[in-house]
Amino acid sequence: MLTQKVKFTLGQDESLVSDSTHNQYVEVDIYERLPVPFGLVRFGVAPDHPEVKNVINTFTQTAKHSRCSFYGNVNVGKDVSIDELQQAYHAVVLSYGAEGNRSIGVPGEGLAGVYSAKDFVGWYNGLPNCRELSPDLSCETAVILGQGNVALDVARILLSPIDSLKKTDITQPALEALAQSQVRRVLIVGRRGPMQIACTIKELREMVNLPGTRPEMVATDFEGVAEALKDVPRPRKRLTELMLKTALEKPGEKEQERRNKASRIWGFRFFRSPIEVLADPNHNKIAGIRLAVNKLEGSGEGAQAVLTGEEEDVPCGLVVSSIGYKSLSIDPSVPFDSRKAIVPNIMGRVQQAAGLYCSGWLKTGPTGVIATTMNNSFDTARSLMEDMDSGTLDLSAAKPGSQSISALLEKRGVKPVTFSDWEKIDNVEMMRGEASGKPREKLLKVEEMLQDFSVNAGH
Amino acid sequence: MATSAAVRSSMGLTLRLSRVIPDCSTCSLYRLRSCVNSAANLQRTGSADSFRTINRHLQTSIGLYHSEEGSSNAEDPEDVVNVVYIDRSGQRIPVKAKVGDNVLYLAHKHGIELEGACEASLACSTCHVYVNAAHFDKLPEPEEREDDMLDMAAMLQENSRLGCQIILTPELDGIELTLPKVTRNFYVDGHVPKPH
């Protein structure tokens, strides 16, 4: 009997579980630090993108397979070690994603009013350790560093009409804070130019069509862009054309009217790198951000930003840094490349570590949408199955699997949350949401999630 | 007011737990946003209506699910559409389908490894397929939202479409849909897993 452990974030090796005609009889146990599953699908995908979250149904089917077990509320690295897992299982797959973030690396970064996008998104999505972020939304202008989809999510949530947010699974505290928000202008800043922007067209279109807002761009940022579009692949071309249209084209009458009535503004600023966050001398918080002006060397995806020596100060009261997530090392025994912030691997097989695999962002770095990460995980699963078939993975001895791990956890006073426990939490959240017309009202504290929600538990 | 709302809520939970109210997440109508009894609608009706609605829902969903699936004893030959899926290892899998079938759910029915993460709501690109030249132009133009999602698919080609947006018509008889080789590995023995 083969048993293995997968740490469940978004990537999941469901093909291992569902492949019932494979020679070996595979059992998969999933260990997750939080009591609730699904990782970024629950805590990263924006509240106003519920269709993206449909993939939860696929994950749920997998988790409920007879040979798959979920153990939430287990902190691998603290409650149980990788070494202990490797002793209990034939194979261990590390799939714990990228929970750290890249720091900006400039003076003033620690001032009140500067947040990482990871924390800001965690705050509005109910990640327990971001509950007390309490971002100050009393300023008029917010600057977002970075121009990927996460940056656009943050901009959109900051500027969306409250009436549309009210019907989503955004947390109640975030909804209340946004209802009082004074933020009216959001600048989304990138080091390079329009042709290097990292977001995708769906998110850009959502900003262009966001009710109550109008775009504010710098026309000179787009010099030479239209001419460079001729031989560019379709996705980049369509994205750039939409940006050009929004930035440069004179709008039709109806659109002009809509823009005139708009009370909120958003815009891209290109060729700008942060060099310092400026403090308000009277209060210990941010007053603005100093940006270096860049020019581009080279073109296309490989173009480099080079300093010109010019600088620019932008007054603002909120900075959200959205320059990338970063994986952390889980255990010193696991090889870790701290430069790339991934676990070194070939096709998901961890180098110099028999029986150890990795998938998802931990394997390739923190970029990619669901399709990318899904295929990445399927690749790891296939490497694992190849190793089972070829004998590279030693299956000759039976392994105790969850029996021994559960005993260890019990001795250490750790109580795992099962998938059916999660289903009770799920029901409680959905019921609470019904009262206010939301798909769910998320529980925000781990202690709340660990409550006994059985029907006859006296509620 | 508050009391009756609380009673309705707790009745709802009891009915769901004892499975009188079906689990919507597994129904294709709900997934395709075609369900008339979705939560949003149920909320707007009063408590008495909820009970009538539940019964109607049970009949409607089961009835329509069968016809959407397409029964294998499809009586009308003019209704038959022949489809060939070419899977990621190059294997040709011929399928007899019906007019109105959805290419993604048809693939699932026949164990073809085409993922549909967002369940046909144009929020992902996991059902990306290549359409053979002879039939590509017979498909209606993709809407902008489909093009936006296609832009994110790996190995995009001129003849790329999202499987969940292709509904079979008589003139698509003989259509061939190739699954892109988006992973760097396939099964060693050419085995294809059943989708879940």
Side-chain angles (χ1 to χ4, degrees), chain A residues 14-16 18-19 21-22 50-52 54-58 61-62 149 200-203 205 234-235 238-239 347 349 369-371 374-376 378-380 382-383 385-386 389 427 431 433-438 455, chain B residues 9-10 13 16-17 23 25 30-31 33 43 88 113 115-126 143-152 154 156-157 182-189 191-196:
Chain A
E14 43 186 62
S15 47
L16 277 168
S18 63
D19 184 8
T21 66
H22 206 85
E51 316 79 13
V52 177
N54 284 345
V55 71
I56 282 178
N57 296 329
T58 307
Q61 272 188 282
T62 302
N149 283 342
T200 55
I201 195 170
K202 170 174 178 261
E203 281 72 15
R205 218 184 276 288
R234 178 188 124 151
R238 290 180 78 240
L239 173 62
M347 299 286 255
R349 297 175 176 98
V369 294
I370 286 182
M374 180 188 83
N375 288 320
N376 157 344
F378 287 169
D379 267 339
T380 296
R382 282 163 193 154
S383 290
M385 287 193 284
E386 254 177 48
D389 284 345
N427 273 327
M431 255 181 33
E434 259 179 64
S436 32
K438 296 164 81 169
V455 176
Chain B
S9 272
S10 68
L13 177 60
R16 273 194 291 273
L17 288 177
D23 178 5
S25 62
Y30 178 74
R31 293 199 300 246
R33 303 281 176 277
Q43 268 194 299
R88 298 182 208 275
E113 49 164 5
E115 293 290 328
C118 77
E119 298 174 355
S121 52
L122 287 178
C124 78
S125 59
T126 59
E143 57 174 287
E144 191 176 69
R145 289 169 58 206
E146 180 182 348
D147 271 334
D148 285 354
M149 287 301 112
L150 274 171
D151 279 357
M152 302 210 286
L156 188 66
Q157 289 177 180
V182 287
T183 54
R184 294 154 72 192
N185 248 332
F186 336 110
Y187 288 97
V188 186
D189 56 355
H191 169 79
V192 177
K194 290 199 178 341
H196 9 265

Side-chain angles (χ1 to χ4, degrees), chain B residues 85-152:
Chain B
Y85 288 94
I86 299 163
D87 76 10
R88 298 182 208 275
S89 65
Q91 189 187 1
R92 291 175 67 85
I93 302 156
V95 162
K96 268 195 168 10
K98 269 179 61 171
V99 169
D101 279 348
N102 175 302
V103 157
L104 173 61
Y105 294 121
L106 180 69
H108 287 177
K109 211 179 115 191
H110 293 270
I112 288 149
E113 49 164 5
L114 191 58
E115 293 290 328
C118 77
E119 298 174 355
S121 52
L122 287 178
C124 78
S125 59
T126 59
C127 67
H128 172 209
V129 292
Y130 301 133
V131 181
N132 62 313
H135 291 85
F136 181 71
D137 293 323
K138 299 197 175 127
L139 295 174
E141 284 290 307
E143 57 174 287
E144 191 176 69
R145 289 169 58 206
E146 180 182 348
D147 271 334
D148 285 354
M149 287 301 112
L150 274 171
D151 279 357
M152 302 210 286

Side-chain angles (χ1 to χ4, degrees), chain A residues 172-412:
Chain A
Q172 197 56 28
L175 190 61
E176 283 165 17
L178 289 164
Q180 308 296 321
S181 163
Q182 302 296 308
V183 175
R184 292 293 174 267
R185 188 163 161 262
V186 175
L187 301 177
I188 307 166
V189 177
R191 294 172 302 121
R192 301 186 293 169
M195 303 227 21
Q196 288 76 38
I197 204 173
C199 64
T200 55
I201 195 170
K202 170 174 178 261
E203 281 72 15
L204 174 59
R205 218 184 276 288
E206 283 176 305
M207 286 310 299
V208 171
N209 296 333
L210 193 59
T213 70
R214 61 177 170 82
E216 179 197 273
M217 312 271 201
V218 175
T220 50
D221 281 350
F222 294 89
E223 272 167 10
V225 170
E227 296 73 26
L229 275 185
K230 272 177 231 60
D231 297 310
V232 153
R234 178 188 124 151
R236 177 60 70 186
K237 187 152 182 260
R238 290 180 78 240
L239 173 62
T240 313
E241 283 171 346
L242 179 57
M243 248 195 298
L244 283 171
K245 178 167 182 241
T246 308
L248 302 179
E249 217 176 81
K250 184 166 150 56
E253 211 182 296
K254 243 178 83 172
E255 170 64 11
Q256 188 59 63
E257 233 186 270
R258 193 194 70 80
R259 289 189 189 183
N260 294 343
K261 285 200 242 169
S263 56
R264 299 179 174 197
I265 302 168
W266 69 278
F268 294 126
R269 291 293 181 273
F270 295 101
F271 311 108
R272 298 289 184 277
S273 295
I275 35 181
E276 189 180 341
V277 179
L278 306 167
D280 176 341
N282 299 323
H283 311 93
N284 191 18
K285 65 175 188 178
I286 174 182
I289 186 165
R290 177 158 292 157
L291 304 171
V293 177
N294 300 324
K295 64 172 195 255
L296 273 191
E297 261 174 23
S299 63
E301 316 292 326
Q304 308 261 37
V306 167
L307 293 172
T308 59
E310 267 184 70
E311 290 176 1
E312 184 188 327
D313 286 356
V314 177
C316 62
L318 174 66
V319 165
V320 178
S321 161
S322 184
I323 58 177
Y325 292 79
K326 200 167 74 169
S327 290
L328 306 177
S329 167
I330 196 174
D331 190 300
S333 67
V334 176
F336 191 76
D337 179 338
S338 28
R339 194 180 61 83
K340 293 190 204 164
I342 58 170
V343 169
N345 70 93
I346 296 174
M347 299 286 255
R349 297 175 176 98
V350 178
Q351 300 190 259
Q352 277 124 38
L356 204 54
Y357 299 80
C358 58
S359 76
W361 282 3
L362 183 62
K363 170 183 170 193
T364 57
T367 56
V369 294
I370 286 182
T372 340
T373 311
M374 180 188 83
N375 288 320
N376 157 344
S377 294
F378 287 169
D379 267 339
T380 296
R382 282 163 193 154
S383 290
L384 183 37
M385 287 193 284
E386 254 177 48
D387 290 354
M388 280 162 50
D389 284 345
S390 68
T392 306
L393 201 56
D394 183 8
L395 305 174
S396 52
K399 293 263 196 168
S402 58
Q403 273 190 325
S404 62
I405 301 298
S406 297
L408 267 179
L409 292 173
E410 203 183 321
K411 250 197 344 206
R412 294 169 186 172

Side-chain angles (χ1 to χ4, degrees), chain B residues 2 37 76 83 109 133 142 157 181:
Chain B
N37 299 307
D76 189 350
V83 176
K109 211 179 115 191
Q157 289 177 180
K181 290 186 173 57

